[in-house]
Amino acid sequence: GLDQVCLHILHAADLSNPARPFAMARQWAEAVMEEFFAQGDREKSEGLPVSPLCSRDGTLLPASQIGFVSFVVLPYYQALAELFPRLREVAIPQLEANLEEWRRLEALEKPAQRNSGSSIQGGTTGSASATDSGSAANQTKSGGSDHADSKDSATDSAKDNKVGKDHTAGGKPEAAKKTPASIDMGSL
């Protein structure tokens, strides 16, 4: 009954970060991955097996977000849209646009990996975003990306897409600069 509907709405809210404009979705993803990595660091220090997605070694943020959105969030929102059709107009197009942006970032990492000969750890932590000037939907519709035009920009973007390896002068991860608690929720 109504209790079940309320539980599904609450669960959709819990999964809503990937459905926000890309710049914000990326900030939340970075913060969540930093939490995962802290858990993995603790597991490793205690001699426990490191949980999936919690290892700083080899966990790529774009790939993890592609899987999470493709197999969890998007199907859940599509099912929920049967009860709330407006989701088809708002949340689902944003999820699809963000999914395309994560795929674009993943593709940029692969050439950078080949060019540098080293593996790229993590995902995104750099403060620069391909969509800082607009939503992923706008970037996708226009086909525009200030990273897609040069070989060097692919390497630069991949450098910006590391989690847990890029540090500020104070030794703190870049993701620590802007946490979900510091995001102005009034702008939603």
Side-chain angles (χ1 to χ4, degrees):
L2 184 58
D3 287 344
Q4 288 297 317
V5 172
C6 289
L7 287 174
H8 285 292
I9 292 170
L10 183 61
H11 188 58
D14 189 41
L15 297 174
S16 69
N17 291 326
R20 299 175 188 274
F22 186 77
M24 185 174 290
R26 181 175 175 161
Q27 288 176 339
W28 278 96
E30 290 168 356
V32 167
M33 291 305 295
E34 237 354 275
E35 288 181 27
F36 286 2
F37 291 156
Q39 175 182 327
D41 294 345
R42 177 113 188 237
E43 290 169 342
K44 197 175 198 179
S45 73
E46 293 181 12
L48 299 169
V50 178
S51 299
L53 299 176
C54 293
S55 174
R56 293 183 190 274
D57 301 321
T59 301
L60 299 173
L61 182 57
S64 70
Q65 289 302 295
I66 290 166
F68 181 55
V69 172
S70 296
F71 298 109
V72 177
V73 183
L74 187 56
Y76 193 83
Y77 271 74
Q78 288 168 331
L80 199 58
E82 296 299 316
L83 291 174
F84 303 101
R86 181 111 164 87
L87 289 172
R88 288 188 194 104
E89 300 167 24
V90 179
I92 292 173
Q94 187 65 55
L95 281 165
E96 290 169 341
N98 289 353
L99 188 56
E100 288 307 309
E101 184 64 12
W102 287 120
R103 287 180 178 140
R104 188 187 70 74
L105 290 172
E106 181 183 50
L108 289 174
E109 286 183 343
K110 290 178 183 177
Q113 281 179 307
R114 284 191 297 270
N115 292 340
S116 69
S118 64
S119 68
I120 296 173
Q121 310 297 320
T124 52
T125 300
S127 57
S129 168
T131 57
D132 282 342
S133 61
S135 73
N138 291 341
Q139 291 281 333
T140 303
K141 286 178 187 172
S142 69
S145 167
D146 47 343
H147 289 292
D149 296 329
S150 76
K151 182 177 169 185
D152 291 336
S153 66
T155 303
D156 292 342
S157 178
K159 288 177 187 172
D160 287 343
N161 285 333
K162 295 179 187 178
V163 170
K165 295 296 181 184
D166 292 332
H167 297 279
T168 62
K172 300 247 184 206
E174 289 286 331
K177 284 183 177 178
K178 193 156 203 175
T179 63
S182 69
I183 296 171
D184 177 18
M185 298 309 280
S187 66
L188 301 178

mmCIF file of all heavy atoms in Angstrom, residues 87-123:
data_model
loop_
_atom_site.group_PDB
_atom_site.id
_atom_site.type_symbol
_atom_site.label_atom_id
_atom_site.label_comp_id
_atom_site.label_asym_id
_atom_site.label_seq_id
_atom_site.Cartn_x
_atom_site.Cartn_y
_atom_site.Cartn_z
ATOM 1 N N LEU A 87 9.015 11.579 -13.807
ATOM 2 C CA LEU A 87 10.411 11.136 -13.774
ATOM 3 C C LEU A 87 10.965 10.944 -15.186
ATOM 4 O O LEU A 87 12.164 11.120 -15.410
ATOM 5 C CB LEU A 87 10.554 9.840 -12.974
ATOM 6 C CG LEU A 87 10.365 9.955 -11.467
ATOM 7 C CD1 LEU A 87 10.343 8.569 -10.835
ATOM 8 C CD2 LEU A 87 11.446 10.817 -10.850
ATOM 9 N N ARG A 88 10.084 10.591 -16.137
ATOM 10 C CA ARG A 88 10.519 10.406 -17.532
ATOM 11 C C ARG A 88 10.952 11.729 -18.167
ATOM 12 O O ARG A 88 11.694 11.742 -19.132
ATOM 13 C CB ARG A 88 9.399 9.786 -18.360
ATOM 14 C CG ARG A 88 9.144 8.345 -18.048
ATOM 15 C CD ARG A 88 8.151 7.737 -19.056
ATOM 16 N NE ARG A 88 7.683 6.479 -18.551
ATOM 17 C CZ ARG A 88 6.487 6.276 -18.010
ATOM 18 N NH1 ARG A 88 5.623 7.258 -17.925
ATOM 19 N NH2 ARG A 88 6.145 5.091 -17.566
ATOM 20 N N GLU A 89 10.455 12.836 -17.637
ATOM 21 C CA GLU A 89 10.773 14.154 -18.191
ATOM 22 C C GLU A 89 11.957 14.811 -17.502
ATOM 23 O O GLU A 89 12.617 15.655 -18.103
ATOM 24 C CB GLU A 89 9.556 15.083 -18.051
ATOM 25 C CG GLU A 89 8.317 14.586 -18.762
ATOM 26 C CD GLU A 89 7.078 15.354 -18.338
ATOM 27 O OE1 GLU A 89 7.204 16.508 -17.879
ATOM 28 O OE2 GLU A 89 5.973 14.790 -18.469
ATOM 29 N N VAL A 90 12.207 14.462 -16.256
ATOM 30 C CA VAL A 90 13.213 15.179 -15.475
ATOM 31 C C VAL A 90 14.400 14.273 -15.123
ATOM 32 O O VAL A 90 15.505 14.462 -15.618
ATOM 33 C CB VAL A 90 12.591 15.768 -14.185
ATOM 34 C CG1 VAL A 90 13.632 16.501 -13.362
ATOM 35 C CG2 VAL A 90 11.428 16.696 -14.525
ATOM 36 N N ALA A 91 14.164 13.310 -14.265
ATOM 37 C CA ALA A 91 15.257 12.505 -13.724
ATOM 38 C C ALA A 91 15.883 11.568 -14.753
ATOM 39 O O ALA A 91 17.108 11.454 -14.835
ATOM 40 C CB ALA A 91 14.773 11.705 -12.518
ATOM 41 N N ILE A 92 15.063 10.888 -15.525
ATOM 42 C CA ILE A 92 15.603 9.891 -16.453
ATOM 43 C C ILE A 92 16.463 10.529 -17.545
ATOM 44 O O ILE A 92 17.575 10.040 -17.805
ATOM 45 C CB ILE A 92 14.485 8.987 -17.010
ATOM 46 C CG1 ILE A 92 13.948 8.121 -15.845
ATOM 47 C CG2 ILE A 92 14.978 8.121 -18.163
ATOM 48 C CD1 ILE A 92 12.741 7.285 -16.162
ATOM 49 N N PRO A 93 16.048 11.642 -18.173
ATOM 50 C CA PRO A 93 16.952 12.271 -19.150
ATOM 51 C C PRO A 93 18.276 12.734 -18.523
ATOM 52 O O PRO A 93 19.333 12.618 -19.152
ATOM 53 C CB PRO A 93 16.150 13.460 -19.684
ATOM 54 C CG PRO A 93 14.723 13.094 -19.453
ATOM 55 C CD PRO A 93 14.719 12.279 -18.183
ATOM 56 N N GLN A 94 18.231 13.223 -17.290
ATOM 57 C CA GLN A 94 19.471 13.650 -16.631
ATOM 58 C C GLN A 94 20.363 12.449 -16.330
ATOM 59 O O GLN A 94 21.578 12.507 -16.519
ATOM 60 C CB GLN A 94 19.171 14.424 -15.348
ATOM 61 C CG GLN A 94 20.406 15.032 -14.704
ATOM 62 C CD GLN A 94 21.041 16.103 -15.565
ATOM 63 O OE1 GLN A 94 20.386 17.050 -15.964
ATOM 64 N NE2 GLN A 94 22.324 15.957 -15.863
ATOM 65 N N LEU A 95 19.766 11.343 -15.882
ATOM 66 C CA LEU A 95 20.544 10.126 -15.656
ATOM 67 C C LEU A 95 21.212 9.660 -16.947
ATOM 68 O O LEU A 95 22.392 9.290 -16.944
ATOM 69 C CB LEU A 95 19.646 9.007 -15.110
ATOM 70 C CG LEU A 95 19.302 9.067 -13.635
ATOM 71 C CD1 LEU A 95 18.140 8.137 -13.317
ATOM 72 C CD2 LEU A 95 20.521 8.726 -12.798
ATOM 73 N N GLU A 96 20.457 9.676 -18.038
ATOM 74 C CA GLU A 96 21.014 9.237 -19.328
ATOM 75 C C GLU A 96 22.133 10.172 -19.790
ATOM 76 O O GLU A 96 23.163 9.708 -20.297
ATOM 77 C CB GLU A 96 19.897 9.144 -20.365
ATOM 78 C CG GLU A 96 18.945 7.988 -20.075
ATOM 79 C CD GLU A 96 17.676 7.991 -20.910
ATOM 80 O OE1 GLU A 96 17.316 9.056 -21.475
ATOM 81 O OE2 GLU A 96 17.028 6.928 -20.988
ATOM 82 N N ALA A 97 21.951 11.480 -19.611
ATOM 83 C CA ALA A 97 22.996 12.435 -19.996
ATOM 84 C C ALA A 97 24.244 12.244 -19.132
ATOM 85 O O ALA A 97 25.376 12.271 -19.638
ATOM 86 C CB ALA A 97 22.478 13.870 -19.882
ATOM 87 N N ASN A 98 24.051 12.041 -17.829
ATOM 88 C CA ASN A 98 25.193 11.820 -16.943
ATOM 89 C C ASN A 98 25.908 10.521 -17.277
ATOM 90 O O ASN A 98 27.142 10.458 -17.241
ATOM 91 C CB ASN A 98 24.741 11.813 -15.480
ATOM 92 C CG ASN A 98 24.347 13.184 -14.982
ATOM 93 O OD1 ASN A 98 24.523 14.197 -15.671
ATOM 94 N ND2 ASN A 98 23.797 13.231 -13.785
ATOM 95 N N LEU A 99 25.136 9.505 -17.625
ATOM 96 C CA LEU A 99 25.730 8.228 -18.022
ATOM 97 C C LEU A 99 26.619 8.418 -19.247
ATOM 98 O O LEU A 99 27.738 7.892 -19.306
ATOM 99 C CB LEU A 99 24.618 7.221 -18.300
ATOM 100 C CG LEU A 99 24.996 5.776 -18.555
ATOM 101 C CD1 LEU A 99 25.809 5.197 -17.413
ATOM 102 C CD2 LEU A 99 23.734 4.947 -18.770
ATOM 103 N N GLU A 100 26.160 9.196 -20.207
ATOM 104 C CA GLU A 100 26.979 9.484 -21.395
ATOM 105 C C GLU A 100 28.244 10.265 -21.017
ATOM 106 O O GLU A 100 29.308 10.023 -21.572
ATOM 107 C CB GLU A 100 26.168 10.242 -22.441
ATOM 108 C CG GLU A 100 25.135 9.380 -23.135
ATOM 109 C CD GLU A 100 25.730 8.096 -23.716
ATOM 110 O OE1 GLU A 100 26.743 8.170 -24.451
ATOM 111 O OE2 GLU A 100 25.181 7.014 -23.429
ATOM 112 N N GLU A 101 28.135 11.183 -20.087
ATOM 113 C CA GLU A 101 29.307 11.948 -19.653
ATOM 114 C C GLU A 101 30.320 11.043 -18.950
ATOM 115 O O GLU A 101 31.521 11.157 -19.175
ATOM 116 C CB GLU A 101 28.891 13.105 -18.740
ATOM 117 C CG GLU A 101 30.040 13.988 -18.323
ATOM 118 C CD GLU A 101 30.724 14.733 -19.462
ATOM 119 O OE1 GLU A 101 30.202 14.776 -20.592
ATOM 120 O OE2 GLU A 101 31.824 15.280 -19.228
ATOM 121 N N TRP A 102 29.850 10.129 -18.102
ATOM 122 C CA TRP A 102 30.756 9.175 -17.468
ATOM 123 C C TRP A 102 31.439 8.297 -18.520
ATOM 124 O O TRP A 102 32.630 8.002 -18.409
ATOM 125 C CB TRP A 102 30.023 8.304 -16.445
ATOM 126 C CG TRP A 102 29.662 9.017 -15.174
ATOM 127 C CD1 TRP A 102 28.401 9.204 -14.673
ATOM 128 C CD2 TRP A 102 30.562 9.621 -14.237
ATOM 129 N NE1 TRP A 102 28.483 9.904 -13.494
ATOM 130 C CE2 TRP A 102 29.790 10.163 -13.192
ATOM 131 C CE3 TRP A 102 31.948 9.769 -14.177
ATOM 132 C CZ2 TRP A 102 30.344 10.829 -12.107
ATOM 133 C CZ3 TRP A 102 32.506 10.432 -13.095
ATOM 134 C CH2 TRP A 102 31.709 10.958 -12.074
ATOM 135 N N ARG A 103 30.684 7.902 -19.548
ATOM 136 C CA ARG A 103 31.285 7.099 -20.630
ATOM 137 C C ARG A 103 32.344 7.892 -21.377
ATOM 138 O O ARG A 103 33.389 7.358 -21.752
ATOM 139 C CB ARG A 103 30.195 6.610 -21.587
ATOM 140 C CG ARG A 103 29.343 5.515 -21.000
ATOM 141 C CD ARG A 103 28.263 5.052 -21.961
ATOM 142 N NE ARG A 103 27.507 3.966 -21.370
ATOM 143 C CZ ARG A 103 26.190 3.823 -21.479
ATOM 144 N NH1 ARG A 103 25.475 4.686 -22.186
ATOM 145 N NH2 ARG A 103 25.573 2.824 -20.893
ATOM 146 N N ARG A 104 32.074 9.177 -21.601
ATOM 147 C CA ARG A 104 33.052 10.032 -22.277
ATOM 148 C C ARG A 104 34.319 10.147 -21.425
ATOM 149 O O ARG A 104 35.435 10.018 -21.935
ATOM 150 C CB ARG A 104 32.454 11.422 -22.526
ATOM 151 C CG ARG A 104 33.338 12.304 -23.408
ATOM 152 C CD ARG A 104 32.812 13.722 -23.488
ATOM 153 N NE ARG A 104 32.974 14.429 -22.236
ATOM 154 C CZ ARG A 104 34.136 14.892 -21.779
ATOM 155 N NH1 ARG A 104 35.252 14.723 -22.462
ATOM 156 N NH2 ARG A 104 34.196 15.533 -20.629
ATOM 157 N N LEU A 105 34.160 10.339 -20.125
ATOM 158 C CA LEU A 105 35.322 10.438 -19.241
ATOM 159 C C LEU A 105 36.096 9.126 -19.192
ATOM 160 O O LEU A 105 37.325 9.128 -19.175
ATOM 161 C CB LEU A 105 34.889 10.861 -17.834
ATOM 162 C CG LEU A 105 34.391 12.288 -17.703
ATOM 163 C CD1 LEU A 105 33.811 12.541 -16.318
ATOM 164 C CD2 LEU A 105 35.505 13.276 -18.017
ATOM 165 N N GLU A 106 35.373 8.010 -19.197
ATOM 166 C CA GLU A 106 36.032 6.708 -19.208
ATOM 167 C C GLU A 106 36.853 6.542 -20.489
ATOM 168 O O GLU A 106 37.985 6.058 -20.457
ATOM 169 C CB GLU A 106 34.993 5.591 -19.093
ATOM 170 C CG GLU A 106 35.624 4.206 -19.082
ATOM 171 C CD GLU A 106 34.587 3.106 -19.037
ATOM 172 O OE1 GLU A 106 33.635 3.133 -19.847
ATOM 173 O OE2 GLU A 106 34.743 2.203 -18.196
ATOM 174 N N ALA A 107 36.298 6.971 -21.612
ATOM 175 C CA ALA A 107 37.006 6.865 -22.888
ATOM 176 C C ALA A 107 38.253 7.741 -22.894
ATOM 177 O O ALA A 107 39.273 7.372 -23.482
ATOM 178 C CB ALA A 107 36.087 7.246 -24.049
ATOM 179 N N LEU A 108 38.205 8.882 -22.246
ATOM 180 C CA LEU A 108 39.375 9.753 -22.167
ATOM 181 C C LEU A 108 40.472 9.147 -21.312
ATOM 182 O O LEU A 108 41.652 9.381 -21.555
ATOM 183 C CB LEU A 108 38.993 11.130 -21.598
ATOM 184 C CG LEU A 108 38.175 12.020 -22.511
ATOM 185 C CD1 LEU A 108 37.757 13.281 -21.770
ATOM 186 C CD2 LEU A 108 38.950 12.368 -23.770
ATOM 187 N N GLU A 109 40.095 8.382 -20.317
ATOM 188 C CA GLU A 109 41.093 7.751 -19.447
ATOM 189 C C GLU A 109 41.877 6.677 -20.178
ATOM 190 O O GLU A 109 43.063 6.523 -19.947
ATOM 191 C CB GLU A 109 40.423 7.129 -18.222
ATOM 192 C CG GLU A 109 39.984 8.148 -17.227
ATOM 193 C CD GLU A 109 39.379 7.530 -15.985
ATOM 194 O OE1 GLU A 109 39.010 6.344 -16.015
ATOM 195 O OE2 GLU A 109 39.280 8.247 -14.992
ATOM 196 N N LYS A 110 41.225 5.950 -21.066
ATOM 197 C CA LYS A 110 41.891 4.836 -21.742
ATOM 198 C C LYS A 110 43.068 5.288 -22.596
ATOM 199 O O LYS A 110 44.149 4.736 -22.464
ATOM 200 C CB LYS A 110 40.871 4.026 -22.538
ATOM 201 C CG LYS A 110 39.940 3.249 -21.623
ATOM 202 C CD LYS A 110 38.901 2.496 -22.384
ATOM 203 C CE LYS A 110 37.968 1.808 -21.376
ATOM 204 N NZ LYS A 110 36.897 1.108 -22.042
ATOM 205 N N PRO A 111 42.935 6.331 -23.459
ATOM 206 C CA PRO A 111 44.110 6.781 -24.204
ATOM 207 C C PRO A 111 45.192 7.332 -23.289
ATOM 208 O O PRO A 111 46.379 7.133 -23.534
ATOM 209 C CB PRO A 111 43.574 7.883 -25.126
ATOM 210 C CG PRO A 111 42.110 7.680 -25.193
ATOM 211 C CD PRO A 111 41.725 6.997 -23.907
ATOM 212 N N ALA A 112 44.805 7.981 -22.219
ATOM 213 C CA ALA A 112 45.795 8.526 -21.294
ATOM 214 C C ALA A 112 46.564 7.400 -20.614
ATOM 215 O O ALA A 112 47.763 7.512 -20.382
ATOM 216 C CB ALA A 112 45.117 9.417 -20.254
ATOM 217 N N GLN A 113 45.883 6.304 -20.316
ATOM 218 C CA GLN A 113 46.556 5.154 -19.731
ATOM 219 C C GLN A 113 47.596 4.602 -20.697
ATOM 220 O O GLN A 113 48.712 4.307 -20.310
ATOM 221 C CB GLN A 113 45.560 4.052 -19.395
ATOM 222 C CG GLN A 113 44.792 4.291 -18.121
ATOM 223 C CD GLN A 113 43.811 3.174 -17.886
ATOM 224 O OE1 GLN A 113 43.002 2.846 -18.746
ATOM 225 N NE2 GLN A 113 43.879 2.578 -16.719
ATOM 226 N N ARG A 114 47.224 4.482 -21.978
ATOM 227 C CA ARG A 114 48.165 3.951 -22.974
ATOM 228 C C ARG A 114 49.339 4.901 -23.164
ATOM 229 O O ARG A 114 50.472 4.476 -23.258
ATOM 230 C CB ARG A 114 47.452 3.721 -24.301
ATOM 231 C CG ARG A 114 46.570 2.498 -24.313
ATOM 232 C CD ARG A 114 46.096 2.167 -25.713
ATOM 233 N NE ARG A 114 45.272 3.207 -26.290
ATOM 234 C CZ ARG A 114 43.952 3.281 -26.181
ATOM 235 N NH1 ARG A 114 43.310 2.376 -25.490
ATOM 236 N NH2 ARG A 114 43.271 4.250 -26.746
ATOM 237 N N ASN A 115 49.070 6.207 -23.205
ATOM 238 C CA ASN A 115 50.131 7.189 -23.432
ATOM 239 C C ASN A 115 51.089 7.286 -22.262
ATOM 240 O O ASN A 115 52.281 7.464 -22.446
ATOM 241 C CB ASN A 115 49.540 8.574 -23.714
ATOM 242 C CG ASN A 115 48.816 8.626 -25.036
ATOM 243 O OD1 ASN A 115 49.050 7.787 -25.899
ATOM 244 N ND2 ASN A 115 47.932 9.594 -25.188
ATOM 245 N N SER A 116 50.579 7.175 -21.042
ATOM 246 C CA SER A 116 51.442 7.353 -19.882
ATOM 247 C C SER A 116 52.088 6.048 -19.450
ATOM 248 O O SER A 116 53.080 6.066 -18.734
ATOM 249 C CB SER A 116 50.644 7.935 -18.714
ATOM 250 O OG SER A 116 49.727 6.974 -18.225
ATOM 251 N N GLY A 117 51.499 4.934 -19.849
ATOM 252 C CA GLY A 117 52.047 3.644 -19.456
ATOM 253 C C GLY A 117 51.748 3.288 -18.016
ATOM 254 O O GLY A 117 52.222 2.297 -17.509
ATOM 255 N N SER A 118 50.981 4.113 -17.321
ATOM 256 C CA SER A 118 50.647 3.808 -15.934
ATOM 257 C C SER A 118 49.140 3.671 -15.799
ATOM 258 O O SER A 118 48.390 4.151 -16.629
ATOM 259 C CB SER A 118 51.148 4.919 -15.009
ATOM 260 O OG SER A 118 50.470 6.125 -15.303
ATOM 261 N N SER A 119 48.757 3.012 -14.735
ATOM 262 C CA SER A 119 47.315 2.859 -14.530
ATOM 263 C C SER A 119 46.771 4.097 -13.845
ATOM 264 O O SER A 119 47.460 4.751 -13.092
ATOM 265 C CB SER A 119 47.028 1.620 -13.692
ATOM 266 O OG SER A 119 47.501 1.794 -12.378
ATOM 267 N N ILE A 120 45.546 4.388 -14.148
ATOM 268 C CA ILE A 120 44.881 5.529 -13.532
ATOM 269 C C ILE A 120 44.074 4.998 -12.375
ATOM 270 O O ILE A 120 43.220 4.144 -12.549
ATOM 271 C CB ILE A 120 43.972 6.237 -14.554
ATOM 272 C CG1 ILE A 120 44.834 6.790 -15.666
ATOM 273 C CG2 ILE A 120 43.165 7.340 -13.887
ATOM 274 C CD1 ILE A 120 44.035 7.354 -16.808
ATOM 275 N N GLN A 121 44.328 5.504 -11.203
ATOM 276 C CA GLN A 121 43.645 5.052 -10.007
ATOM 277 C C GLN A 121 42.397 5.882 -9.787
ATOM 278 O O GLN A 121 42.398 7.067 -10.034
ATOM 279 C CB GLN A 121 44.557 5.215 -8.785
ATOM 280 C CG GLN A 121 45.927 4.632 -8.957
ATOM 281 C CD GLN A 121 45.906 3.142 -9.151
ATOM 282 O OE1 GLN A 121 45.133 2.458 -8.511
ATOM 283 N NE2 GLN A 121 46.736 2.638 -10.022
ATOM 284 N N GLY A 122 41.367 5.258 -9.263
ATOM 285 C CA GLY A 122 40.255 6.027 -8.736
ATOM 286 C C GLY A 122 39.245 6.433 -9.750
ATOM 287 O O GLY A 122 38.521 5.650 -10.261
ATOM 288 N N GLY A 123 39.148 7.664 -10.038
ATOM 289 C CA GLY A 123 38.114 8.210 -10.896
ATOM 290 C C GLY A 123 38.282 9.693 -10.930
ATOM 291 O O GLY A 123 39.277 10.164 -11.413
#
